[in-house]
């Protein structure tokens, strides 16, 4: 029997036996969930500690710094680790190591440049917000490098190393939080959170034996520009929309409203840990499915997104049954305002979970142009719904507006994935060559 080859003449990858493939997939997903559980526990602990220790207004200030970090994190991911995951998942060790050195160097470079801007901005702002932003600027390089190691390990299928790295972060966070509590300021908690992440970033070098090459960041950006810059815009539009919504909500309804929304999101923290843990491995796994069994990609994405949406609804239902005493124990005074937002925030998270399945499929297909369009549309809806709802009905209106926008954006993601899969089937005409 003659082999079926691609148009370039290379043998098509043969799918492994279904049973072993499922076991391998389950193993990688398990490490993704475990890693995100460790990471989210660290973030959750910081959020709860600030909420209980400093009250809703200070928690709002901390949330503004947190959202800003999310924007910068997505810049680094778009330029550094997203192209790494798409193009260097499951490749040879030598190829992976060279790519990781350049990608992690790029992450450090982003942290240095944006961190300097945050530091200067914080010093100029002063007041209650300025010190938090100045401290964030100092901590950004370590925070971004730690995240880059996580994605690098998952690209290599070594989720266990990512999990251990996040455990190191969590262990280092404990004494850092104790010291921050003695100081009792938002800036101290930002420093504690960032310093412990920097310890884990240093351990990532020990785990991998790879030295980040910041000097080669320009070459990496040039090589990955077809994906990187589109992913940059896509990621920044996502986190930037959250930042604009948070700032706008603070202006319209006050800083306390920002703290209430963040508190409601913390209530969904354990489920969001699952969602984010899956997101670490969904794109590499979708890329593997595409290479080994492309006809299964649509089903894989549907099961992924549908499962996350269903799980979010179950978790939100459980929160509605939680006694007030337990909520007050966890969030303190923030509970009373956050508990009123459980239903809309749950629906928003369910919509986001459904959309991640389609987003993983588009990333695996390398359809950066389509995914960019989807994200820009979803981000515009997010800002419009969040701020429009705030103007009409305050904090609750903002939460409901975001929920509606997220569900609508998810529908657009799925429409584009369906079109992309049809285009691929139409354009894929395998050539059979005989020897």
């Amino acid at each position: 029997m003659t082999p079926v080859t691609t148009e370039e003449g290379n043998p098509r990858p043969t799918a492994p036996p279904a049973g072993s493939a499922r076991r391998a997939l389950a193993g990688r997903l398990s490490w993704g969930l475990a890693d995100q559980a460790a990471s989210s526990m660290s973030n959750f602990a910081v959020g709860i500690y600030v909420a209980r220790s400093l009250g809703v207004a200070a928690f709002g200030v901390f949330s503004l710094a947190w959202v800003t970090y999310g924007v910068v994190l997505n810049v680094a991911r778009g330029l550094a680790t997203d192209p790494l995951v798409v193009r260097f998942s499951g490749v040879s060790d030598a190829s992976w190591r060279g790519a990781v050195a350049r990608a992690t160097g790029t992450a450090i470079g982003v942290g240095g440049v944006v961190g300097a801007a945050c530091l200067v901005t914080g010093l100029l702002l002063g007041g209650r917000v300025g010190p938090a932003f100045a401290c964030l600027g100092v901590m950004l390089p370590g925070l971004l490098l730690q995240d880059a190691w996580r994605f690098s390990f998952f690209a290599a299928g070594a989720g266990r190393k990512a999990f251990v790295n996040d455990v190191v972060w969590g262990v280092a966070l404990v004494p850092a939080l104790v010291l921050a509590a003695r100081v009792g300021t938002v800036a101290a908690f930002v420093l504690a959170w960032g310093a412990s992440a920097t310890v884990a970033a240093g351990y990532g070098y020990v785990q991998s034996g790879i030295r980040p090459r910041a000097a080669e960041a320009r070459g990496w950006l040039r090589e990955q520009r077809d994906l990187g810059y589109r992913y940059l815009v896509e990621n920044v539009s996502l986190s930037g929309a959250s930042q604009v919504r948070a700032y706008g909500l603070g202006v319209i309804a006050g800083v306390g409203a920002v703290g209430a929304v963040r508190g409601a999101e913390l209530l969904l923290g354990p489920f969001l840990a699952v969602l984010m843990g899956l997101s670490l491995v969904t794109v590499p796994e979708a890329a593997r499915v595409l290479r080994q069994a492309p006809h299964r990609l649509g089903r894989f994405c549907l099961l992924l997104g549908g499962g996350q949406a269903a799980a979010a609804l179950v978790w939100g239902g459980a929160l509605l049954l939680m006694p007030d005493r337990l909520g007050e124990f966890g969030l303190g005074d923030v509970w009373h305002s956050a508990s009123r937002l459980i239903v809309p925030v749950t629906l928003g998270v369910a919509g986001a979970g459904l959309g991640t399945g389609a987003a993983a499929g588009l990333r695996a297909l390398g359809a950066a142009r389509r995914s960019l369009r989807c994200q820009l549309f979803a981000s515009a809806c997010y800002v419009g719904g969040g701020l429009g709802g705030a103007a009409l009905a305050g904090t609750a209106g903002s939460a409901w507006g975001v929920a509606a926008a997220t569900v609508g954006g998810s529908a657009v993601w799925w429409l584009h994935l369906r079109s992309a899969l049809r285009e691929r089937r139409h354009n894929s005409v395998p050539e059979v060559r005989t020897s």
Side-chain angles (χ1 to χ4, degrees):
M1 180 180 294
T2 57
V4 178
T5 64
T6 63
E7 294 181 358
E8 291 79 13
N10 299 318
R12 290 188 179 278
T14 302
S20 61
R22 282 193 294 268
R23 286 192 295 272
L25 172 60
R28 291 190 292 267
L29 290 177
S30 297
W31 281 119
L33 293 174
D35 169 74
Q36 190 57 46
S39 175
S40 294
M41 283 301 295
S42 300
N43 296 337
F44 186 74
V46 174
I48 291 295
Y49 222 87
V50 176
R52 286 180 56 84
S53 302
L54 303 180
V56 67
F59 189 57
V61 174
F62 181 81
S63 298
L64 292 178
W66 187 283
V67 170
T68 302
Y69 158 72
V71 175
V72 183
L73 179 66
N74 279 297
V75 171
R77 287 179 177 177
L79 294 176
T81 52
D82 282 346
L84 174 74
V85 167
V86 171
R87 287 184 166 153
F88 294 91
S89 292
V91 299
S92 67
D93 183 67
S95 179
W96 173 79
R97 293 179 69 86
V100 168
R102 289 174 290 161
T104 52
T106 302
I108 292 175
V110 171
V113 172
V114 182
C118 285
L119 176 60
V120 172
T121 301
L123 294 176
L124 293 176
L125 283 176
R128 302 176 65 183
V129 177
F133 275 79
C135 293
L136 175 65
V138 173
M139 294 291 103
L140 274 177
L143 284 162
L144 298 186
L145 178 59
Q146 194 276 336
D147 186 76
W149 286 128
R150 297 172 66 208
F151 279 80
S152 299
F153 292 140
F154 276 108
R160 181 181 62 84
K161 289 186 177 181
F163 169 73
V164 172
N165 192 275
D166 272 320
V167 169
V168 169
W169 183 3
V171 171
L173 184 63
V174 174
L177 283 179
V178 172
L179 293 175
R182 293 181 179 178
V183 178
T185 64
V186 175
F189 281 105
V190 173
L191 285 175
W193 166 56
S196 54
T198 302
V199 171
Y203 184 64
Y205 169 73
V206 175
Q207 289 177 291
S208 65
I210 300 173
R211 181 173 59 86
R213 299 175 186 170
E216 297 185 18
R218 182 176 298 178
W220 173 262
L221 294 175
R222 184 171 57 251
E223 293 171 10
Q224 311 301 327
R225 62 181 178 274
D226 59 326
L227 294 181
Y229 292 117
R230 287 194 175 97
Y231 289 157
L232 167 64
V233 176
E234 181 180 329
N235 291 353
V236 170
S237 69
L238 171 63
S239 54
S242 299
Q243 189 174 29
V244 170
R245 186 253 185 138
Y247 290 163
L249 182 60
V251 171
I252 295 171
V255 176
V258 181
V261 171
R262 176 61 184 156
E265 292 172 348
L266 275 175
L267 292 173
L268 277 96
F271 171 76
L272 290 174
V274 173
L275 191 153
M276 295 175 66
L278 289 174
S279 71
L280 289 170
V281 293
T282 50
V283 176
E285 292 307 322
R288 288 185 177 96
V289 171
L290 181 64
R291 286 196 298 268
Q292 297 172 0
H295 61 284
R296 297 178 182 170
L297 180 61
R299 185 187 307 172
F300 172 82
C301 295
L302 182 60
L303 290 173
L304 178 68
Q308 290 179 92
L313 295 175
V314 171
W315 184 265
L319 289 176
L320 292 174
L321 302 176
M322 187 167 66
D324 287 340
R325 183 177 300 176
L326 183 58
E328 291 170 359
F329 176 78
L331 291 179
D333 293 339
V334 178
W335 162 255
H336 298 288
S337 53
S339 61
R340 301 186 183 98
L341 307 178
I342 290 175
V343 173
V345 170
T346 297
L347 292 176
V349 172
L354 183 62
T356 56
L362 287 176
R363 286 284 178 96
L365 289 166
R369 190 170 298 175
R370 282 188 177 276
S371 62
L372 175 58
R373 291 174 190 164
C374 293
Q375 190 57 66
L376 290 176
F377 175 82
S379 297
C381 291
Y382 182 93
V383 172
L387 298 187
L392 291 174
T395 308
S398 179
W400 280 105
V402 165
T406 305
V407 173
S410 178
V412 173
W413 278 103
W414 278 101
L415 289 173
H416 273 271
L417 176 61
R418 185 177 65 173
S419 298
L421 289 172
R422 285 178 176 175
E423 286 180 2
R424 189 180 188 280
R425 284 194 295 266
H426 177 73
N427 296 329
S428 231
V429 182
E431 180 182 345
V432 178
R433 296 182 180 178
T434 57
S435 55

